Amino acid sequence: GNTIQAKYSPGGANVRMVGLNARQNHKAGMFTISDNLIGSQEINVHLVACRGVVLSGNVIYSGHRRNLEVDGARNIVVAANSFDHNPDYGERELCTGVRLHESHDCTLSGSILHDCQAGEHTVAGVVPLAREGLLEIVRCRRVNVSGCQVLDGQPYGIYVEDSDLLNVSGGSILETRAEKKSRAAIRLRGKGRGILIAGNLLGRGSEEVVARDPEFEAQLASNVNVE
């Protein structure tokens, strides 16, 4: 029930937990971060080599690099959060972004990820945003993404690279801007197996709905493609 806000500082975070390493990440964890307003830093919530962290019921905004970054962690639950930006700022928007990297046994559910309308930072003097998608899943295993709204992603709504056993279901990955900036709802790059993308509303970007490299094995079922 707190407001955790800061003045941006390079390398800074509103909440940061760091374990020993990815193989012994139980040295940090068994922790909940709930019902807060968290904003205005390089990374809003940064979990490194953690185990057993629940992030729920928060409004998370204005992350200069990412709203949430999970690196080398496991058993992470992210539920019922709003990852957002303030459209009242007009030409001074900061984009949204969530990244899971080399992590496994994670769930992201019932959350909204809504990117800024420009698709890039527009605040003067801010380090340019470097990312592959609004939600990035890179070299991960056993990740579930369910019941989420992923809106106005740039360049992709969900970007997956070299990951296995991923389930994306019951969500809406859409482009709502009059001028499309998303290339595709989902981008699958590199290699992957055991990927299920089912029961989603998927918005066609400027190129296609789902972009997939040939060696990426994925099953698409009962999705509705939206122009």
Side-chain angles (χ1 to χ4, degrees):
N2 300 291
T3 295
I4 307 171
Q5 191 172 19
K7 183 177 181 180
Y8 165 75
S9 58
N14 298 99
V15 179
R16 174 173 282 137
M17 298 180 65
V18 182
L20 185 61
N21 56 55
R23 289 172 298 187
Q24 296 174 289
N25 57 28
H26 59 281
K27 301 299 181 181
M30 301 300 174
F31 201 85
T32 62
I33 304 166
S34 301
D35 305 326
N36 303 290
L37 182 64
I38 303 174
S40 303
Q41 254 301 2
E42 181 170 297
I43 303 175
N44 299 131
V45 179
H46 195 193
L47 305 177
V48 182
C50 297
R51 179 187 178 119
V53 178
V54 176
L55 180 70
S56 66
N58 303 284
V59 175
I60 304 177
Y61 66 98
S62 293
H64 289 236
R65 192 169 94 192
R66 296 290 185 281
N67 298 119
L68 170 64
E69 188 159 331
V70 180
D71 194 356
R74 65 179 299 171
N75 294 24
I76 306 298
V77 175
V78 181
N81 298 284
S82 176
F83 298 94
D84 206 355
H85 64 285
N86 193 336
D88 292 344
Y89 289 172
E91 296 182 357
R92 294 181 293 112
E93 285 188 314
L94 290 170
C95 288
T96 309
V98 173
R99 179 179 173 86
L100 279 65
H101 174 252
E102 294 186 350
S103 297
H104 57 281
D105 303 324
C106 300
T107 66
L108 175 63
S109 64
S111 295
I112 294 176
L113 290 74
H114 196 167
D115 206 12
C116 63
Q117 295 306 291
E120 61 184 3
H121 294 331
T122 57
V123 177
V126 171
V127 176
L129 182 65
R131 67 172 188 198
E132 297 288 350
L134 183 49
L135 170 59
E136 298 165 304
I137 301 170
V138 178
R139 295 193 290 279
C140 294
R141 288 178 291 125
R142 297 189 299 273
V143 174
N144 282 2
V145 180
S146 61
C148 292
Q149 296 243 35
V150 181
L151 304 175
D152 297 338
Q154 165 71 8
Y156 303 101
I158 297 178
Y159 173 85
V160 183
E161 180 180 328
D162 294 333
S163 296
D164 298 324
L165 306 175
L166 168 68
N167 185 342
V168 179
S169 61
S172 299
I173 305 149
L174 301 172
E175 167 69 84
T176 71
R177 293 169 286 209
E179 180 185 350
K180 290 183 178 180
K181 298 184 183 296
S182 296
R183 297 180 192 172
I186 299 175
R187 175 71 166 100
L188 305 175
R189 176 170 287 164
K191 297 180 181 180
R193 64 179 183 84
I195 311 297
L196 176 63
I197 300 171
N200 301 284
L201 292 176
L202 302 178
R204 178 176 294 279
S206 60
E207 298 174 359
E208 50 193 317
V209 178
V210 177
R212 173 171 46 170
D213 284 0
E215 294 185 83
F216 215 115
E217 301 174 9
Q219 180 175 338
L220 279 66
S222 301
N223 297 292
V224 175
N225 296 342
V226 180
E227 294 295 331

